[in-house]
Amino acid sequence: MVEIELDGQKVEVAPGCMVMHAAEKAGTFIPHFCYHKKLSIAANCRMCLVEVEKAPKPMPACATPVTQGMVVRTNSEKAIQAQKSVMEFLLINHPLDCPICDQGGECQLQDMAVGYGGTTSRYEEEKRVVLHKEVGPLISMEEMSRCIHCTRCVRFGQEVAGVMELGMIHRGEHSEITTVTGETIDSELSGNMIDLCPVGALTSKPFRYSARTWELSRRKSVSPHDSTGANLVVQVKNHKVMRVLPFENEEVNECWIADRDRFSYESLNSDQRLTAPMIKQGGAWKEVDWQTALEYVANGLKNIKAEHGANAVGALVSPHSTLEEIYLAKELLRGLGSSSIDYRLRHADFSAPEGVRWLGRSIASLSTLQSVLVVGSNLRKDHPLFAQRVRQAARKGCTVTAIDDVVRDWALPVAQTLVAAPQDWFQALSDVAAAVAQQKGVDAPNAQGKANAVASSIATALLVGEHKAVLLGNAAAHHAQAATLLALANWIGEQTGATVGYLTEAANTVGAQWMKALPDDAGFNAAQMLEGRAKALLLLQTEPVFDSAVGSKAVSALAGADMVVTLSSFKTNMEFSDVLLPVAPFSETSGTFVNAEGRAQSFHAVVRPLGNTRPAWKVLRVLANLLGIAGVDFQTSQEVLEKATHAPQGGSLNVVPAAQLSNRSKAGMTVAGVVPAAAPVVASIYQLDGLVRRSPSLQLTADARLASAGVQA
């Protein structure tokens, strides 16, 4: 450790640290613009000048390494005067846009100008003008004259997103930030550039001119999309969600969120929202009150159970639903005597799992991997925040390998991709297993494997280092041989010392497993229910046409059911539903999501329900009461959580119990049955759930356009 004196205080930091790091450890604030703890050091802005004893002039704190015995003064007359001089230069060309700037109220330049700026300007020449750029539907670059060239956005693209979409061209007063690889900014993490910008040069296009920051209430929540469980700050005005920002959590999402976490809020205010219960009568939809709708559903379910048996009543629940909603849906069916419940709408293999399948390690540990094999995942698009963790590891030397049907651009160096059609993934993974067996001198798990050059290269990578993982993606989970692929992955993990896990598809895939939202031998699974075998179906926040493996075929199959009840936030499934019940999205209800690492994160409603919308857990509770089902008289979602997780009263478990987490498979290593040639069904990045599908800005992005054209990046 190196000891320095900072403003009279002794501070110890590791060798190689900068003065800025020492100041952070000591809790001393040094003004800065270009420095950011997650980005490389650029020393562009010079705002962090400090006095270093024996140095002839002020030194930038962000780029000055500490030395033993160094004496630093951050608030001496020399340091303050240097900082004020830099501020004067930064303000020379800055336009007086504060009254109409979206950054007003949360602008670093505005804040610093109060403390370090002068009361008048000595600059009388014309200010420079930088023309605006049109870079897509998410980021506004209308006022680039405000830019102070801190290059945070440029470094973010290079170092975190993996794509240098912005760069600085020209020199001196002609310098400007512009797109360098194309006309638009298309990264799935691009919205983070808005947060990083210390001035109002980059702002949110959907939020533009809609509210002042000081008018917004800030409320914490959790992302309802992928399995990261990103922590959010939802900003609200007049009971309306206006903006979504990241809430920093180093263990989960650090200080970043994906664009679908940030911009999907637009759908919450959509005209497609369902705001009152509706019943189809004579082929026409009619709005009714809650009592009428729920009694109609309860009577229908009773009649169908009496006529066709309990298991004829089924439920397809979305893995984006909360833990409490899934638990009550299961309890409702169990009370009727049915076990026909499933969340695996996109799956092709319905063999019973041994436990709760999960990531197999912590999310944070993805950043420290030394070798990783990813099977059947478009990592960058399916899990943007996991991808940036793996990208961090790759920058430190991690060897990334993949098995997929095409070579994909993950914006990180991939050492080897074993390309095979989905029906050949068993063979491809067998080849890797054979190569591992050959290099270790053990017997291979089956006779099909052949240690070819690519498989041998992947095996070599997995046999090196201590921190290794085999990660199965959404396509591997949805594969017709999912259990067999997992069994092979487990063998490879055992032989190489790698952890084995699923990246998991949705916000609450792990929670749905934990709640055992799965049929027993007598009940119908998702595929059987989507074939029309169930006579009555409850669809909880799911749209089978978009969310299932059968796609549009679900319309004709479900239209033949005696009763289909859709519980949704939107007017959907109207072709085959008999009843629509408006239930709250994540922003209007309390609940819990369990992310890929098994972390349970509870959240509260941030706005009141729209119209006659009600939280789904309350709707399911009342419906259970009307059906005479005992043991579900809960008054709060917290009570549901305590009962569902067996948590102590007044508390809740924050992780799935380790004993229940398992990535084991009962399947053998042989191919069972005929493997269909069709590829597994995987939703594209902006078709994952009902919220992102209805966000206008997200649907205008390059990724959404590619998906609509049938191309997945």
Side-chain angles (χ1 to χ4, degrees):
M1 298 296 283
V2 175
E3 184 180 83
I4 71 169
E5 182 182 312
L6 185 78
D7 293 337
Q9 177 184 354
K10 299 292 185 182
V11 184
E12 282 193 349
V13 292
C17 286
M18 303 297 160
V19 171
M20 184 69 82
H21 300 140
E24 285 180 341
K25 185 174 182 180
T28 300
F29 174 73
I30 298 176
H32 60 274
F33 293 113
C34 68
Y35 171 77
H36 190 277
K37 63 183 179 181
K38 294 291 184 181
L39 303 177
S40 62
I41 291 168
N44 287 335
C45 71
R46 318 306 283 185
M47 190 64 209
C48 64
L49 292 175
V50 295
E51 182 182 356
V52 177
E53 194 172 84
K54 297 181 181 177
K57 59 183 180 179
M59 305 291 286
C62 69
T64 302
V66 296
T67 57
Q68 184 64 35
M70 175 186 279
V71 178
V72 179
R73 301 181 184 91
T74 68
N75 55 9
S76 66
E77 183 178 349
K78 185 176 182 180
I80 296 295
Q81 186 55 50
Q83 292 161 3
K84 286 186 174 181
S85 297
V86 170
M87 176 57 69
E88 183 176 23
F89 276 107
L90 289 174
L91 293 176
I92 280 176
N93 277 303
H94 199 78
L96 294 174
D97 284 347
C98 297
I100 56 99
C101 179
D102 267 350
Q103 198 84 347
E106 54 187 12
C107 175
Q108 288 178 249
L109 185 67
Q110 197 176 52
D111 294 341
M112 299 290 183
V114 172
Y116 301 92
T119 55
T120 59
S121 173
R122 294 184 288 172
Y123 188 77
E124 297 180 352
E125 288 74 17
E126 290 183 1
K127 291 179 179 285
R128 75 180 195 133
V129 175
V130 180
L131 296 179
H132 73 271
K133 284 89 178 171
E134 176 55 52
V135 293
L138 305 180
I139 297 178
S140 172
M141 295 180 72
E142 289 288 327
E143 289 90 10
M144 290 307 293
S145 297
R146 299 171 185 166
C147 179
I148 61 171
H149 306 138
C150 70
T151 69
R152 280 184 178 183
C153 56
V154 177
R155 285 175 284 145
F156 172 83
Q158 288 177 295
E159 299 163 19
V160 181
V163 183
M164 185 179 172
E165 295 183 294
L166 291 176
M168 183 151 55
I169 61 173
H170 308 312
R171 295 177 63 84
E173 69 170 336
H174 302 293
S175 299
E176 61 178 285
I177 301 293
T178 186
T179 51
V180 294
T181 59
E183 295 182 355
T184 57
I185 298 174
D186 299 320
S187 166
E188 60 285 346
L189 298 171
S190 66
N192 294 291
M193 295 179 185
I194 299 167
D195 297 336
L196 286 172
C197 184
V199 294
L202 303 181
T203 54
S204 168
K205 188 170 285 189
F207 176 71
R208 188 173 169 82
Y209 295 148
S210 59
R212 306 300 299 188
T213 57
W214 54 84
E215 299 174 316
L216 303 174
S217 300
R218 291 159 174 79
R219 294 159 190 175
K220 188 182 175 190
S221 191
V222 178
S223 169
H225 304 302
D226 65 34
S227 58
T228 308
N231 290 200
L232 309 176
V233 173
V234 181
Q235 299 190 329
V236 175
K237 178 184 177 184
N238 296 332
H239 300 286
K240 183 178 178 181
V241 175
M242 304 298 292
R243 186 165 63 163
V244 174
L245 300 174
F247 183 88
E248 186 168 351
N249 186 332
E250 278 296 312
E251 297 302 310
V252 181
N253 57 297
E254 300 177 271
C255 55
W256 318 119
I257 55 175
D259 286 351
R260 64 183 168 204
D261 301 327
R262 185 183 300 271
F263 297 108
S264 64
Y265 75 87
E266 287 184 295
S267 61
L268 301 172
N269 309 315
S270 165
D271 57 6
Q272 299 178 55
R273 283 291 303 271
L274 177 66
T275 57
M278 300 179 75
I279 294 178
K280 187 187 289 182
Q281 292 182 338
W285 285 98
K286 178 184 175 183
E287 288 191 1
V288 296
D289 59 66
W290 271 105
Q291 187 71 22
T292 301
L294 291 175
E295 287 181 354
Y296 180 85
V297 173
N299 291 332
L301 295 181
K302 288 177 184 176
N303 293 337
I304 291 169
K305 174 187 173 183
E307 184 177 350
H308 300 285
N311 278 313
V313 179
L316 292 171
V317 299
S318 168
H320 300 276
S321 302
T322 67
L323 203 69
E324 294 82 354
E325 292 164 1
I326 293 172
Y327 172 76
L328 282 170
K330 187 194 73 172
E331 289 300 295
L332 188 153
L333 286 185
R334 182 194 289 175
L336 287 171
S338 172
S339 70
S340 299
I341 183 171
D342 211 339
Y343 71 93
R344 302 167 296 177
L345 279 78
R346 294 190 176 104
H347 285 228
D349 182 349
F350 293 94
S351 53
E354 287 191 7
V356 176
R357 292 178 176 175
W358 65 303
L359 186 61
R361 55 170 51 244
S362 70
I363 291 173
S365 70
L366 294 176
S367 303
T368 61
L369 288 172
Q370 294 170 301
S371 180
V372 59
L373 169 61
V374 181
V375 182
S377 174
N378 187 357
L379 184 65
R380 177 182 170 189
K381 304 300 181 181
D382 293 346
H383 303 90
L385 293 174
F386 289 172
Q388 77 87 16
R389 291 272 191 184
V390 175
R391 196 171 292 120
Q392 289 180 38
R395 288 171 63 85
K396 300 170 191 170
C398 174
T399 304
V400 182
T401 54
I403 295 176
D404 209 340
D405 57 343
V406 295
V407 176
R408 302 186 189 274
D409 178 13
W410 289 350
L412 58 86
V414 178
Q416 288 285 355
T417 298
L418 205 170
V419 178
Q423 63 266 30
D424 296 327
W425 285 355
F426 174 81
Q427 179 64 54
L429 208 53
S430 295
D431 292 346
V432 174
V436 170
Q438 185 182 81
Q439 294 184 34
K440 288 200 68 179
V442 298
D443 292 333
N446 59 38
Q448 286 99 321
K450 299 175 183 177
N452 55 54
V454 178
S456 297
S457 177
I458 293 173
T460 301
L462 286 173
L463 287 165
V464 175
E466 297 180 1
H467 306 290
K468 299 169 282 191
V470 178
L471 300 175
L472 302 172
N474 294 348
H478 301 164
H479 199 276
Q481 293 175 277
T484 311
L485 293 176
L486 176 58
L488 263 176
N490 280 325
W491 187 90
I492 293 170
E494 288 165 3
Q495 296 299 321
T496 61
T499 61
V500 177
Y502 280 96
L503 293 164
T504 73
E505 177 182 10
N508 206 25
T509 301
V510 173
Q513 297 173 77
W514 190 18
M515 292 299 99
K516 295 182 171 61
L518 298 165
D520 60 19
D521 293 337
F524 296 131
N525 62 38
Q528 292 167 333
M529 285 187 271
L530 288 166
E531 288 171 0
R533 295 200 196 181
K535 297 299 180 181
L537 264 180
L538 298 177
L539 303 178
L540 177 57
Q541 291 284 29
T542 187
E543 302 171 78
V545 171
F546 303 104
D547 295 333
S548 76
V550 298
S552 59
K553 295 178 183 177
V555 175
S556 56
L558 297 181
D562 292 350
M563 174 178 276
V564 177
V565 182
T566 292
L567 293 85
S568 176
S569 305
F570 302 98
K571 295 175 183 176
T572 186
N573 299 341
M574 300 180 81
E575 307 97 316
F576 49 79
S577 292
D578 299 289
V579 184
L580 299 180
L581 301 178
V583 296
F586 82 104
S587 57
E588 299 169 18
T589 186
S590 55
T592 305
F593 292 135
V594 184
N595 69 2
E597 65 179 356
R599 183 189 298 260
Q601 300 183 107
S602 295
F603 55 91
H604 297 287
V606 298
V607 292
R608 64 189 178 202
L610 184 66
N612 284 323
T613 298
R614 296 290 182 268
W617 71 267
K618 288 187 177 182
V619 175
L620 291 165
R621 182 205 65 194
V622 174
L623 188 55
N625 291 339
L626 290 173
L627 289 165
I629 298 169
V632 292
D633 294 322
F634 303 108
Q635 299 302 311
T636 66
S637 63
Q638 180 66 29
E639 291 179 15
V640 183
L641 182 63
E642 290 169 7
K643 180 69 177 295
T645 61
H646 307 291
Q649 190 171 5
S652 62
L653 296 174
N654 58 7
V655 292
V656 178
Q660 297 185 38
L661 294 170
S662 172
N663 287 319
R664 306 306 302 172
S665 172
K666 298 176 184 177
M669 299 298 177
T670 57
V671 182
V674 178
V675 181
V681 176
V682 180
S684 62
I685 184 169
Y686 298 134
Q687 290 293 322
L688 181 64
D689 57 70
L691 291 175
V692 296
R693 282 195 286 267
R694 291 172 174 84
S695 170
S697 296
L698 291 178
Q699 295 308 315
L700 291 173
T701 60
D703 279 323
R705 293 197 304 273
L706 284 172
S708 65
V711 179
Q712 191 169 16

